[in-house]
Amino acid sequence: MALLIHLLACAFGTGSWMAINGLWVEVPLLVTVLPEQWYLPSYITIIIQMANVGPLFVTLMHRFRSGLLKEVAVIYVIVSVGVIACLLLAFLWNYTSLIAGRPHSIAFLILTFFLALVDCTSSVTFLPFMMQLQPQYTTTFFIGEGLSGLIPALIALGQGSGISSCANVSRKVNITTGNETMESTIFQLETHYLPPNFSILLFFLLMTAMMLTCLLAFFFLTRLPKVWDLSQQQLFPSSIVLNSFDYNLDEGTDSQLSTGCSCPKDPKEPGDILPQKVSYSLTKLTFIYLLVTWVSALTNGVLPSVQSYSCLPYGHTTYHLSATLSNMANPLACIVAMFLPSRSLALMGILTMAGTCFGAYNMVIAVMSPCPVLQHSQWGDAIIVLSWVLFTGTLSYVKVMAGVILRSRSHSALVWYGGLEQLGSLLGALVMFPLVNVYSLFKSADYCSLQCPA
């Protein structure tokens, strides 16, 4: 029975950020098909921030109409919405509509909003539900949350999404000289996209299956014997209502209402890491909060908006690898934080500076698009992929350890953590969206036909 509970808790956790993580790793293929092209990541980033109306609504309902929302019912609703949205996305992702005379992927963007709504709202519902089980099952749930980023990345690697090659194509053109018009043949390089190992339709159907697995796992978890409740009451009595903030504060979790780390901010094992309460001066607390705001702005708003511009000039294969491997770096950083925790503010500051340097390199390459340094060199490809992986990994570790430190401080400290994390994410997205989509400060071009100075 214990093994079954662990499997169900893990499967339930994978549904927390599965859909949005799946979207991000599929973007290298989507930008080659959808009319938004290189603008697509910035659209997804701002839509995810808009989807935070979900957890905001849940929080306000709990604050002003406590007892009206049933926790189990809310989870059933949001996971069901996730299943339906993934299924519709599989068939409607490439449908376009004309707006102001230009085609846009309205169906894709609307369904992306619903998927983001599901994942953001899961941050304030899934973990409070799991807190009713014994602690070892909460740890397994956290492992599932990590897998919600790892599984889509592995599927995308197997799919080989967005990989392309350059082909020499002949074209006939008419050349006019004086009164004579002659037909001539010219040769030019064009990008030919290699077909993925399986289609986008199948990818989203796999995401649908994963969300359905999450729904079924939750169904069976709600029907477990009552012995798991630590207060010796029934595990799921009919009187249980949504009290996300109570659970979040009591158990020391902060809201994960963004595209950030979908792993525990307070890992429970081994040994409930760093559980002792430590006093920090106002200056040190201010420093930690500034780190949280800065790191969240970079990882959740600023850099995701320009990933296509920093990677696509090196080719779609490079973009594919950077998107998938950096997405895998997130859960791996969470695992490292679980087994190698550190309260050192100096180390957090150093890692933040290192991550910022990696992010600055990625941003500089995006600004130089479509002709960055080392463009046609394997060193350039390797450096940009490594830079994205290290950017995500170092700053994810900082966010995890900041959450652990603030948990030992007080409950209200975690509320401020969640608020500043969201503030940083929102500011980053709001700053970058007009720069990318309105003022067009970042330039795109076809990789193969591009003529860059040597």
PDB file of all heavy atoms in Angstrom, residues 5 18 60 122 177 228 424 444 453:
ATOM      1  N   ILE A   5       0.892   4.375  -2.702  1.00  0.00           N
ATOM      2  CA  ILE A   5       0.711   5.783  -2.356  1.00  0.00           C
ATOM      3  C   ILE A   5       1.834   6.621  -2.966  1.00  0.00           C
ATOM      4  O   ILE A   5       1.605   7.707  -3.502  1.00  0.00           O
ATOM      5  CB  ILE A   5       0.691   5.987  -0.829  1.00  0.00           C
ATOM      6  CG1 ILE A   5      -0.342   5.070  -0.184  1.00  0.00           C
ATOM      7  CG2 ILE A   5       0.383   7.443  -0.502  1.00  0.00           C
ATOM      8  CD1 ILE A   5      -1.738   5.304  -0.650  1.00  0.00           C
ATOM      9  N   MET A  18       3.417  20.209 -15.913  1.00  0.00           N
ATOM     10  CA  MET A  18       3.665  19.404 -17.101  1.00  0.00           C
ATOM     11  C   MET A  18       3.303  20.148 -18.385  1.00  0.00           C
ATOM     12  O   MET A  18       4.074  20.170 -19.352  1.00  0.00           O
ATOM     13  CB  MET A  18       2.879  18.096 -17.015  1.00  0.00           C
ATOM     14  CG  MET A  18       2.961  17.212 -18.253  1.00  0.00           C
ATOM     15  SD  MET A  18       4.578  16.479 -18.480  1.00  0.00           S
ATOM     16  CE  MET A  18       4.581  15.339 -17.086  1.00  0.00           C
ATOM     17  N   LEU A  60      -8.068  35.105  -2.949  1.00  0.00           N
ATOM     18  CA  LEU A  60      -9.073  36.072  -2.506  1.00  0.00           C
ATOM     19  C   LEU A  60     -10.331  35.372  -2.002  1.00  0.00           C
ATOM     20  O   LEU A  60     -10.950  35.811  -1.011  1.00  0.00           O
ATOM     21  CB  LEU A  60      -9.418  37.018  -3.658  1.00  0.00           C
ATOM     22  CG  LEU A  60      -8.301  37.981  -4.091  1.00  0.00           C
ATOM     23  CD1 LEU A  60      -8.752  38.815  -5.286  1.00  0.00           C
ATOM     24  CD2 LEU A  60      -7.886  38.880  -2.924  1.00  0.00           C
ATOM     25  N   SER A 122      -2.333  25.306  -9.700  1.00  0.00           N
ATOM     26  CA  SER A 122      -1.882  24.103  -8.994  1.00  0.00           C
ATOM     27  C   SER A 122      -0.910  24.441  -7.874  1.00  0.00           C
ATOM     28  O   SER A 122      -0.789  23.699  -6.894  1.00  0.00           O
ATOM     29  CB  SER A 122      -1.223  23.123  -9.975  1.00  0.00           C
ATOM     30  OG  SER A 122       0.055  23.588 -10.384  1.00  0.00           O
ATOM     31  N   THR A 177      18.143  43.201 -69.752  1.00  0.00           N
ATOM     32  CA  THR A 177      19.316  43.985 -70.179  1.00  0.00           C
ATOM     33  C   THR A 177      18.932  44.740 -71.442  1.00  0.00           C
ATOM     34  O   THR A 177      18.747  44.153 -72.511  1.00  0.00           O
ATOM     35  CB  THR A 177      20.520  43.066 -70.456  1.00  0.00           C
ATOM     36  OG1 THR A 177      20.145  42.089 -71.426  1.00  0.00           O
ATOM     37  CG2 THR A 177      20.985  42.381 -69.183  1.00  0.00           C
ATOM     38  N   TRP A 228      -4.086   7.828   6.816  1.00  0.00           N
ATOM     39  CA  TRP A 228      -2.934   8.663   6.492  1.00  0.00           C
ATOM     40  C   TRP A 228      -3.007  10.032   7.144  1.00  0.00           C
ATOM     41  O   TRP A 228      -2.049  10.775   7.124  1.00  0.00           O
ATOM     42  CB  TRP A 228      -2.834   8.821   4.978  1.00  0.00           C
ATOM     43  CG  TRP A 228      -2.876   7.508   4.277  1.00  0.00           C
ATOM     44  CD1 TRP A 228      -3.847   7.049   3.451  1.00  0.00           C
ATOM     45  CD2 TRP A 228      -1.919   6.450   4.383  1.00  0.00           C
ATOM     46  NE1 TRP A 228      -3.565   5.787   3.019  1.00  0.00           N
ATOM     47  CE2 TRP A 228      -2.378   5.394   3.576  1.00  0.00           C
ATOM     48  CE3 TRP A 228      -0.719   6.292   5.075  1.00  0.00           C
ATOM     49  CZ2 TRP A 228      -1.680   4.207   3.449  1.00  0.00           C
ATOM     50  CZ3 TRP A 228      -0.030   5.102   4.937  1.00  0.00           C
ATOM     51  CH2 TRP A 228      -0.513   4.092   4.130  1.00  0.00           C
ATOM     52  N   GLY A 424       8.752  40.234  -9.487  1.00  0.00           N
ATOM     53  CA  GLY A 424       9.890  40.188 -10.394  1.00  0.00           C
ATOM     54  C   GLY A 424       9.533  39.568 -11.728  1.00  0.00           C
ATOM     55  O   GLY A 424       9.914  40.079 -12.797  1.00  0.00           O
ATOM     56  N   SER A 444      15.184  38.991 -36.476  1.00  0.00           N
ATOM     57  CA  SER A 444      15.189  37.584 -36.873  1.00  0.00           C
ATOM     58  C   SER A 444      15.580  37.484 -38.339  1.00  0.00           C
ATOM     59  O   SER A 444      15.474  38.447 -39.102  1.00  0.00           O
ATOM     60  CB  SER A 444      13.806  36.954 -36.669  1.00  0.00           C
ATOM     61  OG  SER A 444      12.838  37.618 -37.459  1.00  0.00           O
ATOM     62  N   PRO A 453      28.645  39.497 -42.050  1.00  0.00           N
ATOM     63  CA  PRO A 453      30.059  39.793 -42.302  1.00  0.00           C
ATOM     64  C   PRO A 453      30.969  38.787 -41.605  1.00  0.00           C
ATOM     65  O   PRO A 453      30.651  38.314 -40.514  1.00  0.00           O
ATOM     66  CB  PRO A 453      30.233  41.201 -41.738  1.00  0.00           C
ATOM     67  CG  PRO A 453      29.122  41.360 -40.753  1.00  0.00           C
ATOM     68  CD  PRO A 453      27.976  40.560 -41.281  1.00  0.00           C
TER      69      PRO A 453
END
